[in-house]
Amino acid sequence: MLSIPRAFCVTMSLFILLLGYPAHLAAVDFAAATSYPVGASPAGTAVGDFNGDGKLDVAVANTGSSNVSILLGNGDGTFQPAMNFNAGNNPSAVAVGDFNGDGKLDLAVFQPGSNEAPGSVSILLGNGNGTFQAPKTLALTSTAAVMAVADFNLDNKSDLAVSDFDPNTNAKSFNIFIGNGDGTFQPPKQTVLAGDSGWHFAVADFNGDSRPDVAIGGGGVIQILLGNGDGTFSQRGEVRLLGGINTDESSVVIITADLNHDGQVDLLASSSYISPCRPPYCSYRTTNISSFLGNGDGSFQVGTSIVTASVELIGCTGVSCGTKVDRPIVGDFNGDGKLDLLFRVTPQGRSGPGLSTLGLRIGKGDGSFFAPASIDLQTVNPFANSIAIAQDLNPDKLADLIAIGNANNIELFLNTSPTSGADLSISGSATPPYNPVEAAGVGVNLTFAADGLNQGPQDATSVTFTDTLPNSVNFVSATASQGSCAHSNGVVSCNIGGLASATDFRVSIVVIPMGVETISNSMDVTANEPDPVPANNAATQTTTVVATSKLTVTRTGNGSGTVTVLTDLNGNYACTNGCTGIYATGTVFTVLESPDANSFFAGWGSACTGTGPCIVTMDADKSLTANFVMGEKLSVALAGTGTGSVTSKDSAINCPNSAGNCSAFYLPGTSVSLTAAPAGTSAFAGWSGACTGTDPNVCSVTMNSVQSVTATFNPPPDFILAPATTTFTTQTGAQVTDVLTLTGQNGFAGAVTLTCAVTGPAPLPTCKVSQSPVMLGSSPGTSTLTITAPSTLAAFALPRNDGNHAAFALEFSFSAMLLGGIGVWLGDFKKRRGLSLLLGGVLILFVVLGGCAAGSSTSGPTPQNYTVTVSATSGSVQHSTTVTLTVQ
């Protein structure tokens, strides 16, 4: 099963080693470097026609001497000695613009901020003859990071863009300084950026409205800000870098170019990120260069990786730990009118970085690139201190290179690529990767892979690929991406046919090594056209074939799961139903298990025992069994009218009244402990099913089969107190009785004490309960309430009829008033006259009143109402009921 991954591993090594150990393989070529002295510690370069003679000149910012060097070009790729101009303190970058609108190129020399000093930009206005005026300084913050020049408000005068951040909040910002037209600037217009963006940026017109836009990298993305034409921006969107949030934002470099010749600006980004494997086994720092094709509206397509390399951070045991790629530049290096890509390639070892070389990807003109090639710049350390600049300095329509040197100098590399013939190149390697786990082994398929490329400048015809195989291998197959292949007597011949300039092909040859030895595979490519660089037409692949051992993995049991063999630090191969792999003898690797849902891993057999990770040393053929068993299901249910929950000691069961997990699978034979917990005032009534009893903490289930458990929760134990009659009417001195019934609920059992009390007007009746306490159990209990009415009631002698009483009082009062009034009225003048009449009237009046009084009578006491309250108590449980008594 693992023969295909093994072949893939070996095949991938061809390209890994190509980056680590490149040769002089390309028709793209450069002459030896020409060195030009400049100021101390040069750090940044820029190109422009500073004296107006139509020839490109070079400006160099010198950090150590705090000046800028100007090298005037002669138009043939050579330059005059440097002239130096003061440029502020410690400049590290230089850009070209026209800050006063006079048509003469000026310089902006940038000093980034630091913890010790604020940053600044020095503006050197050009005199038009290659000399510059004294600098005008724009002060920046101590956190200013990167500078660019563009006309952001469209007034034909250059402005400045500077990325910055707030050290207190770490908020990133992008600041535009609008130029006043004299080398000075207005206060900045600030755009606060989202996320972690804000370090490196590039300026171009991404949506075709002739307004400068900005692409800002960081935080795993490139944010796109569309210019409004006044120094402000609107957010357009973002494109995600390979590596995402793991990207080291300080490593991001962005380049703008039209990679596919559609008139839209594209992006090319270099970045670095941490790429973990299976901790703690490994961790890699991956460097990557990707392209993002523009849609012409400010948006971009998903990125395409052009070149990737990794450095092992943990576990590296070899001399080399990988390769780093960075510092990309674009230019037409082979003169076909299509942009190509150059980048620095640096091997990384345990003792530090190795000798850097220059990688090359020939552009296809559609935004993609051909297979890898490399260039020998005949220098110790390409791009040692900065990113190089590609410009046609001769001019001959071939991009040349300007780079910072190592000794207060710059170095110029003139492009000497051929202009005729068809340069065919071939690359390939079968050397095992660093720290190989799967190597080329006896009896195992080995793939020799080769990439051929016509680097032009002419098309090639009758292209033939020939591979002379080692004597000790058996041929299996040969295929080519175009044309056909045939094998005869250990030689593979592939008729590729025509191959246009800047196009490639691939050949894959599969063989089986038969002995333990080091084998060499030789290949070459030819065509009808003259080849300007014949040295790169042939390649040799060297492979060490080692003894092998077979590992057979078998899955057993009634369950299901996956066995994973960690064959190297980067990957793994899964064995779902079993697998067989052939490995280099002596290989040590780890085998892990992963049971499927509802299954359990019961243990290893043969090569390993137990249930932990299996470490296998391939010192002989070995077998390994992985036993997966189906789990037994435990289900928990809740019953009763109360509330509560059930949990297992291992937390697999968590079964409340709502939601939660009420079932789980267990390895057969597992003992599971369950606990019941009532909620609120509820009480645990007991277990049923696989457990019994009433102890909420005692339920243990052995999972030898499917099991179920029910926990019952009820409301708390209680009782009901109910009188037979609630209303009585009786006479004074009489007795009434009532039967009180007590009924237990929810398992209530115990003694209930009864008491009674009477409320109402005096004199009060009396009450008593004949049986107290009452014992309750499974049956109800009763008691008798006796109430004795008082012998008398409160009473008063009042007329029985309220209306007669009022009339009598009125008549009596009227009579008295009438008698007094008559006496006054008669006075002395009528004492004798009519006296007899008066006395007669009075006599009649009293007779009438007396008769009325005699006709009235008095009543007895008014009936009284009383409330009798009966209380029943058992511990903390209390209930009461009332009976109403009316006494007449």
Side-chain angles (χ1 to χ4, degrees):
M1 172 181 172
L2 295 185
S3 60
I4 293 177
R6 185 215 56 75
F8 172 77
C9 185
V10 173
T11 301
M12 287 303 296
S13 71
L14 313 184
F15 307 108
I16 294 173
L17 287 193
L18 178 63
L19 289 179
Y21 297 95
H24 185 185
L25 299 176
V28 174
D29 203 359
F30 293 86
T34 301
S35 179
Y36 291 87
V38 292
S41 303
T45 58
V47 174
D49 182 6
F50 302 129
N51 58 354
D53 62 356
K55 304 171 184 176
L56 290 179
D57 310 313
V58 178
V60 183
N62 304 304
T63 301
S65 53
S66 298
N67 59 9
V68 61
S69 296
I70 303 298
L71 292 82
L72 298 180
N74 296 319
D76 58 357
T78 63
F79 291 85
Q80 301 175 27
M83 298 181 290
N84 297 321
F85 301 90
N86 292 331
N89 296 324
N90 306 316
S92 63
V94 58
V96 177
D98 183 3
F99 295 100
N100 57 355
D102 62 356
K104 303 171 184 177
L105 292 184
D106 310 316
L107 298 178
V109 186
F110 178 64
Q111 174 196 356
S114 66
N115 293 331
E116 299 178 356
S120 65
V121 176
S122 296
I123 302 299
L124 282 67
L125 297 179
N127 297 317
N129 59 357
T131 64
F132 293 86
Q133 302 174 24
K136 297 182 178 182
T137 301
L138 171 66
L140 302 174
T141 67
S142 61
T143 52
V146 180
M147 176 200 71
V149 173
D151 182 9
F152 291 102
N153 65 342
L154 310 179
D155 64 352
N156 296 318
K157 301 181 183 68
S158 296
D159 311 308
L160 292 177
V162 179
S163 61
D164 206 338
F165 75 99
D166 186 333
N168 297 318
T169 63
N170 205 35
K172 307 298 189 299
S173 63
F174 186 70
N175 304 293
I176 300 299
F177 295 85
I178 298 298
N180 294 319
D182 58 358
T184 64
F185 299 88
Q186 302 174 22
K189 296 183 178 182
Q190 185 179 82
T191 300
V192 177
L193 304 174
D196 294 327
S197 295
W199 293 111
H200 193 274
F201 63 90
V203 178
D205 180 10
F206 300 131
N207 59 351
D209 62 357
S210 300
R211 302 171 182 173
D213 309 312
V214 179
I216 303 176
V221 300
I222 299 176
Q223 290 194 46
I224 305 301
L225 302 179
L226 297 183
N228 297 320
D230 59 357
T232 64
F233 298 86
S234 58
Q235 183 76 33
R236 175 61 178 88
E238 63 184 30
V239 293
R240 182 163 295 275
L241 293 168
L242 188 66
I245 60 175
N246 296 317
T247 301
D248 175 8
E249 64 179 278
S250 64
S251 71
V252 177
V253 175
I254 304 171
I255 298 174
T256 61
D258 184 3
L259 300 175
N260 58 352
H261 294 277
D262 63 353
Q264 315 296 343
V265 177
D266 309 312
L267 297 177
L268 190 142
S270 172
S271 60
S272 170
Y273 59 93
I274 298 298
S275 175
C277 312
R278 184 183 290 270
Y281 299 108
C282 62
S283 178
Y284 286 84
R285 177 173 294 279
T286 299
T287 49
N288 178 73
I289 301 174
S290 302
S291 62
F292 303 86
L293 299 182
N295 296 318
D297 59 357
S299 66
F300 294 84
Q301 300 176 26
V302 176
T304 300
S305 177
I306 302 172
V307 58
T308 299
S310 295
V311 177
E312 187 176 355
L313 301 179
I314 300 175
C316 176
T317 58
V319 176
S320 177
C321 300
T323 306
K324 174 183 178 182
V325 294
D326 62 356
R327 300 189 179 181
I329 56 175
V330 292
D332 182 5
F333 299 110
N334 63 348
D336 63 355
K338 304 169 185 176
L339 290 178
D340 311 311
L341 171 66
L342 290 179
F343 51 90
R344 187 174 68 168
V345 182
T346 308
Q348 305 290 305
R350 293 180 58 82
S351 59
L355 180 66
S356 295
T357 57
L358 193 61
L360 168 67
R361 295 291 189 274
I362 298 295
K364 297 181 180 180
D366 59 359
S368 63
F369 297 83
F370 285 106
S374 62
I375 294 175
D376 182 3
L377 283 186
Q378 304 178 30
T379 184
V380 175
N381 195 355
F383 307 166
N385 299 316
S386 73
I387 298 175
I389 297 177
Q391 290 284 345
D392 184 5
L393 301 175
N394 317 41
D396 56 2
K397 297 183 179 180
L398 296 173
D400 308 305
L401 296 176
I402 305 171
I404 299 296
N406 292 314
N408 299 331
N409 66 316
I410 62 170
E411 294 180 333
L412 271 64
F413 300 88
L414 292 181
N415 193 325
T416 58
S417 300
T419 57
S420 64
D423 176 30
L424 297 179
S425 66
I426 190 169
S427 61
S429 173
T431 304
Y434 306 121
N435 304 316
V437 173
E438 285 191 285
V442 175
V444 182
N445 283 357
L446 170 65
T447 299
F448 293 123
D451 285 294
L453 172 65
N454 178 14
Q455 299 182 96
Q458 292 179 319
D459 296 343
T461 58
S462 299
V463 177
T464 301
F465 171 86
T466 304
D467 189 308
T468 302
L469 298 174
N471 293 327
S472 56
V473 301
N474 289 336
F475 172 79
V476 176
S477 65
T479 57
S481 59
Q482 72 178 60
S484 60
C485 297
H487 171 258
S488 177
N489 298 322
V491 177
V492 175
S493 298
C494 299
N495 182 13
I496 305 301
L499 195 64
S501 175
T503 56
D504 59 355
F505 67 91
R506 167 170 287 195
V507 175
S508 295
I509 302 173
V510 181
V511 298
I512 299 177
M514 302 308 296
V516 177
E517 60 180 326
T518 298
I519 58 177
S520 295
N521 181 57
S522 300
M523 58 186 66
D524 65 81
V525 60
T526 61
N528 287 338
E529 288 69 28
D531 195 315
V533 187
N536 59 10
N537 289 34
T540 299
Q541 301 170 332
T542 300
T543 305
T544 299
V545 182
V546 298
T548 58
S549 300
K550 181 171 68 174
L551 173 67
T552 302
V553 179
T554 305
R555 196 194 69 182
T556 62
N558 62 351
S560 58
T562 300
V563 178
T564 301
V565 182
L566 301 181
T567 55
D568 57 31
L569 296 178
N570 277 321
N572 51 71
Y573 306 110
C575 308
T576 303
N577 295 311
C579 56
T580 299
I582 299 178
Y583 302 91
T585 299
T587 298
V588 179
F589 52 78
T590 301
V591 184
L592 303 177
E593 47 74 25
S594 177
D596 295 340
N598 308 337
S599 293
F600 290 86
F601 179 65
W604 302 105
S606 299
C608 288
T609 59
T611 57
C614 173
I615 309 299
V616 179
T617 300
M618 296 304 299
D619 49 11
D621 290 349
K622 292 189 175 182
S623 62
L624 177 67
T625 60
N627 186 20
F628 295 97
V629 297
M630 181 66 69
E632 301 292 355
K633 185 177 182 180
L634 172 61
S635 299
V636 174
L638 305 183
T641 57
T643 59
S645 62
V646 176
T647 57
S648 61
K649 188 175 181 180
D650 62 2
S651 301
I653 299 290
N654 180 16
C655 187
N657 279 335
S658 60
N661 178 26
C662 291
S663 65
F665 285 86
Y666 286 92
L667 184 68
T670 302
S671 179
V672 183
S673 295
L674 300 177
T675 300
T681 60
S682 294
F684 177 66
W687 303 102
S688 59
C691 287
T692 58
T694 58
D695 190 334
N697 299 311
V698 178
C699 176
S700 181
V701 182
T702 300
M703 298 303 300
N704 288 323
S705 61
V706 175
Q707 302 282 7
S708 62
V709 174
T710 299
T712 301
F713 297 95
N714 288 325
D718 202 353
F719 62 85
I720 297 174
L721 171 63
T725 305
T726 58
T727 303
F728 292 93
T729 300
T730 188
Q731 302 295 322
T732 56
Q735 284 187 340
V736 295
T737 60
D738 197 2
V739 177
L740 304 172
T741 301
L742 295 95
T743 305
Q745 291 185 320
N746 305 322
F748 181 87
V752 180
T753 301
L754 300 172
T755 60
C756 64
V758 182
T759 57
L764 294 173
T766 61
C767 70
K768 67 176 181 178
V769 181
S770 62
Q771 183 176 349
S772 178
V774 176
M775 298 301 296
L776 293 183
S778 59
S779 300
T782 60
S783 182
T784 302
L785 171 66
T786 302
I787 307 172
T788 303
S791 57
T792 61
L793 297 177
F796 298 91
L798 295 173
R800 186 178 300 274
N801 190 309
D802 290 344
N804 292 338
H805 298 167
F808 176 78
L810 179 61
E811 293 169 357
F812 184 84
S813 301
F814 177 77
S815 300
M817 291 172 60
L818 179 59
L819 182 58
I822 294 173
V824 174
W825 180 72
L826 290 177
D828 293 337
F829 301 103
K830 299 180 179 180
K831 292 180 179 179
R832 295 177 179 87
R833 187 181 177 182
L835 180 60
S836 58
L837 179 60
L838 175 61
L839 293 176
V842 171
L843 179 60
I844 294 171
L845 175 62
F846 276 99
V847 171
V848 173
L849 293 176
C852 292
S856 65
S857 64
T858 62
S859 64
T862 303
Q864 300 296 319
N865 295 321
Y866 301 92
T867 300
V868 180
T869 301
V870 179
S871 299
T873 303
S874 179
S876 61
V877 182
Q878 294 181 345
H879 293 289
S880 63
T881 187
T882 59
V883 175
T884 301
L885 174 66
T886 301
V887 179
Q888 297 180 343

